[in-house]
Amino acid sequence: MRKFHPSWLVLLAILAVLPLVASTFYISLLNNIGMFALATLGVVLLTGVAGMTSFGQAAFVGLSAYTTAALVAPSTLNLGAMAASPWLALALGLALTLLFAFVLGLITLKLSGHYLPLGTIAWGMSLYSLFGTIESLGGHSGVPDLPPLRIAGLTFGDGPRMYYLIWVCVLLAIVLIRNLLESRVGRAIRALRGGQEMATSMGVNVFRTKMIVFLVAAGLAGVSGWLYAYTQRFVSPAPFGVQAGIDYLFMGLLGGMGSLWGAVIGSAVVVLLREWLQDLLPQLLGRTGNFESIVFGLLIVLVMQRWPGGIWMALSRRFKLRQGGHVRLPAPGAGVPALPRSARPKPNERILDVRKVTRRFGGLVANREMSLRVDAGEILAVIGPNGAGKSTLFNLVSGVDVPNEGDVIFRGHRINGRSPRELAAEGLSRTFQHVKLLPDMTVLENAAIGAHLRGHKGVFASALHLDGEDEARLLAEARRQLERVGLGHELDRTAGSLALGQQRILEIARALCADPCLLLLDEPAAGLRHKEKQALAELLRKLRAEGVAVLLVEHDMDFVMGLVDRVVVMEFGQRIAEGRPEEVQRDPAVLRAYLGGVEE
């Protein structure tokens, strides 16, 4: 059961009392803050959490607002009778907004780098122009005659009743998004920011996850647009242009892109400051003008210098507020059923068979007719000098790259061109030469990403907190693997605070959460102390006894030679030796590769 912090009760009490003590003018401002906060929550989710910059959020607000206006205003489509069905207007507005978002997402989300924000500006401008050119919707003059919102016989104008409705929507959105981000789907969403390659290798469908975030953000904008139409009772294109999209980003930046509450604080700061500055600056300067924009620009620069995480992050540090939510971790021995395991390979089953693989990069041949095999219950090491082609071979085996010639056979099936996500589903898991963790997430959450494919609950179950059993099993598995590798006492620490050696061990625990039959380890002993290497070697021996095949690249010869069953030596992209460790150590070709010559 989730325990609510006492600050929640204080916040709810303040929100409940405000309309009783505030003037009509400030109630109207609070309504605007709430509507802006809803849309800004989508920006925080898109940009702050998932790392996708969008300037088009205002266009989605406008799309929903115009849909509502078209359905309920008597002067538009003659559907004014629908004014008695506000929930139908909301449903249709959301449906149209999500449909547009889905189509635009199919196009836009395939872009990367600066092309993504430029793409959102393009379709944001297009929708803004569309609003202004449809004569049946009033063109640039807008739709002026929307009826007030009526629910259960109550009329909601722009006063206290609408205030309570708006802020119930804001609080409900925060709770639902928080639930989502603390789930299996939420970990995939958070991995989008700086961890897409890792997430794909763990089985996360990155494009689908991006689409989920995009649609959730559009849905929040849709609710905001519906509320806007009924609150203002007038809809025109002006509030939904690209400049409005930039304003939403400003709100997120000022409040804090990494926090849901930052959306509320940023919206409040922008709305209130804009109102106060519009009154104060003309008096100070002796003339009217858009001076508040200059102040906002300077304010953004100041906040980014002093508080890069935004106002909410600064307040959290000042008052020592907990960041993020509480991981739903069952206590040890709580009786959580273990996750089902895949069928174990048969003894000596051929797990991986690389057959005369060649990979060219222009005139450079990184791998030339490279072959190796790994059986179930075997540890094979690939060694060689820097530049020998080991990393390229790893990429070919793990699906990151595709060979020009030859075949990679995994459990009897040719996998050339198969994606890392597909291979993860079939039992191939890996670590990386350069550690790929999510530094702001806890050790437990990082490990749980490895079990992504072993969970089944989706967006709605996660947001509604109906994924309790599924989530408990995933986190219990992550805890078990962390305890297995010696990190069971570090569950609540952020991954970025661990030493490099511990981070490498965490990567192994994450890979083990996927229940692999083939484990690819890229320099796992780098950065480990002597005792940590001994513990890692003992863990790999246990995995070998369980039938797991291990293929590792390593430069620490003492670690390799005392552990592995066979060694493959590469030089200039080719295999120059293969055999048992003691045989390879005496091979003249290996001595030449490492020492530059052979003693006579």
Side-chain angles (χ1 to χ4, degrees), residues 183-185 455-462 466-471:
S183 69
R184 164 183 173 268
V185 177
H456 306 288
K457 297 297 183 180
V459 177
F460 293 106
S462 299
L466 301 176
D467 61 339
E469 181 180 352
D470 193 61
E471 184 70 0

Side-chain angles (χ1 to χ4, degrees), residues 68 71-74 79-87 89 146-151 230:
T68 303
L71 293 173
V72 304
L79 297 175
M82 290 190 65
S85 304
W87 302 122
L146 273 69
L149 175 64
R150 292 187 178 89
I151 300 175
Y230 277 115

Side-chain angles (χ1 to χ4, degrees), residues 330-354:
V336 178
L339 290 172
R341 300 192 64 185
S342 59
R344 295 292 87 189
K346 298 177 182 178
N348 300 319
E349 176 186 338
R350 182 62 47 84
I351 301 297
L352 179 68
D353 194 358
V354 178

Side-chain angles (χ1 to χ4, degrees), residues 137 151 376 442:
L137 295 178
I151 300 175
T442 65

Side-chain angles (χ1 to χ4, degrees), residues 262-538:
V264 178
I265 291 177
S267 300
V269 168
V270 171
V271 171
L272 294 175
L273 265 184
R274 180 173 289 160
E275 192 64 37
W276 295 336
L277 290 173
Q278 285 176 347
D279 293 335
L280 178 62
L281 290 178
Q283 297 177 19
L284 294 176
L285 300 176
R287 60 182 216 173
T288 60
N290 194 20
F291 300 114
E292 66 272 11
S293 296
I294 300 174
V295 175
F296 276 121
L298 295 174
L299 182 61
I300 285 286
V301 174
L302 177 63
V303 170
M304 292 300 97
Q305 285 184 339
R306 292 291 303 275
W307 307 311
I311 297 173
W312 174 253
M313 182 66 72
L315 291 174
S316 299
R317 290 174 178 170
R318 175 67 178 83
F319 297 104
K320 298 180 180 180
L321 300 176
R322 180 183 176 93
Q323 293 296 311
H326 298 269
V327 177
R328 292 169 269 164
L329 177 63
V336 178
L339 290 172
R341 300 192 64 185
S342 59
R344 295 292 87 189
K346 298 177 182 178
N348 300 319
E349 176 186 338
R350 182 62 47 84
I351 301 297
L352 179 68
D353 194 358
V354 178
R355 301 174 180 174
K356 296 185 176 180
V357 162
T358 297
R359 181 66 174 105
R360 301 185 185 89
F361 297 95
L364 173 67
V365 181
N367 284 165
R368 185 190 300 275
E369 295 189 350
M370 185 64 199
S371 297
L372 59 80
R373 56 179 172 76
V374 188
D375 295 335
E378 181 181 30
I379 302 177
L380 174 69
V382 178
I383 66 173
N386 290 332
K390 303 184 297 297
S391 295
T392 300
L393 178 64
F394 245 52
N395 289 337
L396 296 175
V397 171
S398 60
V400 175
D401 203 356
V402 182
N404 299 110
E405 300 171 12
D407 293 315
V408 180
I409 310 298
F410 178 55
R411 303 203 73 176
H413 301 283
R414 183 176 181 270
I415 61 172
N416 296 34
R418 299 280 298 278
S419 71
R421 183 174 64 86
E422 294 174 314
L423 298 182
E426 295 183 9
L428 187 153
S429 194
R430 67 168 298 183
T431 65
F432 296 87
Q433 180 179 5
H434 303 290
V435 173
K436 295 185 184 297
L437 298 173
L438 301 172
D440 294 328
M441 287 172 57
T442 65
V443 169
L444 181 70
E445 291 173 306
N446 270 275
I449 292 175
H452 181 81
L453 287 173
R454 303 175 72 183
H456 306 288
K457 297 297 183 180
V459 177
F460 293 106
S462 299
L464 296 174
H465 218 278
L466 301 176
D467 61 339
E469 181 180 352
D470 193 61
E471 184 70 0
R473 296 172 78 181
L474 293 176
L475 294 176
E477 175 68 12
R479 163 180 260 171
R480 186 175 75 86
Q481 298 299 347
L482 287 167
E483 290 173 345
R484 190 179 188 186
V485 301
L487 290 177
H489 58 292
E490 305 284 8
L491 301 182
D492 289 331
R493 283 186 63 181
T494 56
S497 68
L498 297 178
L500 176 60
Q502 291 177 307
Q503 291 181 356
R504 291 194 177 278
I505 294 296
L506 174 53
E507 278 207 322
I508 295 174
R510 183 183 64 200
L512 292 177
C513 285
D515 188 29
C517 65
L518 174 61
L519 187 59
L520 306 182
L521 303 179
D522 202 343
E523 300 190 24
L528 300 187
R529 295 185 290 268
H530 179 67
K531 289 186 177 180
E532 291 173 330
K533 291 178 183 178
Q534 289 180 323
L536 174 59
E538 184 59 31

